[in-house]
Amino acid sequence: MQHWNLRTQEAEPHHPEVLQSDPEGRTILLLLPAGESLQAHQVHERAWLLVVDGEVEIDHDGDDQVGGPGFLAVFEPKEEREVRARTETRLLMLLAPWPGEGHPRRHEG
């Protein structure tokens, strides 16, 4: 078993912390300073985004959602969104499968 305390795990702004990665999925801890955003964020995999601490605003096709600790959003592969931190925010992102179809690290055969 692997485990982490997401509230105390070391994380630095602009340096995503990959906690776990294998072909089934990848788990990443992000620290987003207040006022900063992931800007038109899009990944090749299905993405689960969980707010651990702080507060975010997510713009998805003009539909803004605000969420604090415990807020979970799920996005389809290649689905665009903008994630903005209203306060310093700790996010957990899960991507599956890893890497997803079309990702440069994936070797299509």
Side-chain angles (χ1 to χ4, degrees):
M1 174 178 84
Q2 296 177 314
H3 58 89
W4 300 266
N5 182 330
L6 300 176
R7 296 184 125 180
T8 60
Q9 177 71 34
E10 284 193 39
E12 294 181 36
H14 312 290
H15 296 283
E17 180 71 28
V18 176
L19 300 176
Q20 185 275 334
S21 187
D22 59 38
E24 287 77 31
R26 180 172 255 204
T27 309
I28 306 163
L29 183 63
L30 304 160
L31 184 60
L32 196 57
E36 292 194 17
S37 67
L38 297 179
Q39 300 178 357
H41 192 252
Q42 178 186 37
V43 293
H44 294 278
E45 303 78 18
R46 179 175 316 280
W48 289 261
L49 187 67
L50 174 68
V51 177
V52 176
D53 281 317
E55 186 176 56
V56 296
E57 183 176 330
I58 299 175
D59 181 9
H60 176 263
D61 291 332
D63 178 24
D64 287 357
Q65 297 291 318
V66 174
F71 179 82
L72 174 65
V74 181
F75 302 96
E76 296 294 321
K78 301 179 185 170
E79 188 173 9
E80 289 189 25
R81 66 275 185 180
E82 183 174 355
V83 179
R84 291 180 295 276
R86 290 181 154 195
T87 63
E88 181 175 88
T89 302
R90 211 171 251 271
L91 299 167
L92 182 69
M93 182 179 295
L94 293 95
L95 305 173
W98 176 255
E101 187 174 323
H103 192 284
R105 290 190 186 175
R106 185 173 176 144
H107 300 286
E108 309 290 341

